[in-house]
């Protein structure tokens, strides 16, 4: 089943830099990534069903960073649909931040659950997007850190159980799951991973287009 987006609905995108995508520098506050593409394509397809599109994502945020601002940035907007993509910083924080540490999967699950519970109680429709990591080649600079293939292998080991958490929570709350990790793995098999995310994490324009198309397939 798909989510029916009715005229006058409010749709909220939440998460980290992949969703943020310089939203504060954009005229409409949606950024330059997949949320903008979703809003544009929806408007083209459904001019008779105007929607308020909001983006509350902040680059670098983890589940624990979303929690303190969840009431103000998400719940107070009373959205009809909330789309969440978070987890890549929960995976790499210990590598990228001198004060970071490995976030246990149990802490990730508990925090994510606390984000979803009030939305489910309010009857909000949910779209959960799996965090993803593409197996690019070579080293990539991420802030002051140099991320090589060995580090990405460690990240992959850390990320897999967190992807399973997102799938589990989608089932628990009746959310629609966008299986982005599997989607990108399948796409990368024919083009190479860099085509979709040059650093393995942040989508290229083609990667954002793929996310937008997959997102739109979940709504009607």
């Amino acid at each position: 089943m798909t989510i029916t987006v009715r005229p006058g609905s409010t749709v909220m995108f939440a998460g980290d830099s992949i969703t943020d995508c310089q939203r504060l520098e954009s005229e409409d506050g949606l950024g330059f990534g997949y949320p903008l593409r979703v809003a544009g394509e929806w408007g083209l397809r459904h001019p008779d069903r105007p929607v308020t599109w909001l983006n509350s994502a902040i680059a670098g945020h983890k589940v624990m960073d979303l929690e303190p601002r969840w009431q103000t940035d998400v719940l107070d907007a009373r959205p009809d649909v909330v789309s969440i993509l978070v987890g890549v910083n929960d995976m790499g924080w210990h590598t990228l931040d001198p004060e970071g540490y490995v976030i246990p999967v149990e802490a990730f699950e508990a925090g994510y659950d606390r984000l979803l519970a009030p939305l489910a109680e309010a009857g909000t429709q949910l779209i959960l997007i799996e965090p993803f990591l593409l197996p690019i080649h070579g080293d990539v600079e991420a802030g002051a850190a140099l991320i090589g293939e060995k580090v990405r292998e460690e990240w992959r080991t850390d990320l897999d159980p967190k992807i399973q958490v997102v799938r589990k929570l989608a089932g628990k709350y009746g959310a629609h799951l966008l299986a982005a990790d599997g989607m990108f793995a399948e796409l990368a098999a024919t083009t190479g991973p860099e085509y979709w995310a040059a650093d393995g994490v942040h989508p290229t324009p083609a990667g954002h287009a793929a996310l937008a198309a997959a997102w739109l397939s979940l709504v009607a």
Side-chain angles (χ1 to χ4, degrees):
M1 292 181 62
T2 55
I3 292 174
T4 299
V5 180
R6 296 178 173 83
S9 292
T10 296
V11 178
M12 170 73 73
F13 294 95
D16 52 36
S17 60
I18 299 168
T19 304
D20 178 337
C21 212
Q22 299 176 293
R23 65 182 177 86
L24 296 180
E25 298 174 27
S26 63
E27 188 173 335
D28 52 19
L30 286 177
F32 302 100
Y34 74 92
L36 178 64
R37 292 173 180 269
V38 165
E41 185 64 27
W42 178 268
L44 176 63
R45 296 181 189 179
H46 305 289
D48 58 329
R49 281 194 275 166
V51 171
T52 298
W53 303 95
L54 302 174
N55 187 346
S56 65
I58 296 180
H61 273 204
K62 306 172 290 299
V63 165
M64 69 173 70
D65 300 311
L66 296 184
E67 284 196 73
R69 62 186 185 87
W70 202 243
Q71 182 68 49
T72 301
D73 287 3
V74 177
L75 301 181
D76 286 353
R78 298 184 179 276
D80 301 285
V81 180
V82 173
S83 171
I84 305 171
L85 170 53
V86 68
V88 71
N89 295 301
D90 298 79
M91 167 194 74
W93 189 38
H94 62 289
T95 309
L96 302 174
D97 187 336
E99 298 182 3
Y101 54 83
V102 175
I103 297 174
V105 67
E106 296 81 7
F108 177 78
E109 179 173 357
Y112 208 138
D113 193 290
R114 289 191 294 269
L115 299 179
L116 298 177
L119 293 169
E121 185 176 345
T124 308
Q125 298 270 23
L126 298 170
I127 296 176
L128 305 188
I129 305 176
E130 291 177 354
F132 50 86
L133 178 66
L134 280 74
I136 63 166
H137 307 287
D139 297 337
V140 176
E141 288 186 10
L146 190 65
I147 308 303
E149 293 184 20
K150 185 177 186 301
V151 172
R152 285 194 295 274
E153 288 174 6
E154 295 171 356
W155 282 5
R156 182 83 251 179
T157 300
D158 183 83
L159 184 64
D160 283 341
K162 289 170 180 167
I163 290 174
Q164 293 302 319
V165 162
V166 177
R167 294 174 181 173
K168 175 182 174 182
L169 292 174
K172 176 179 178 178
Y173 288 104
H176 287 66
L177 178 70
L178 198 169
D181 191 62
M183 177 189 76
F184 279 123
E186 185 175 341
L187 290 171
T190 56
T191 62
E194 289 83 0
Y195 184 81
W196 305 102
D199 63 357
V201 170
H202 297 92
T204 60
H208 278 289
L211 276 176
W215 197 99
L216 286 162
S217 73
L218 301 177
V219 301

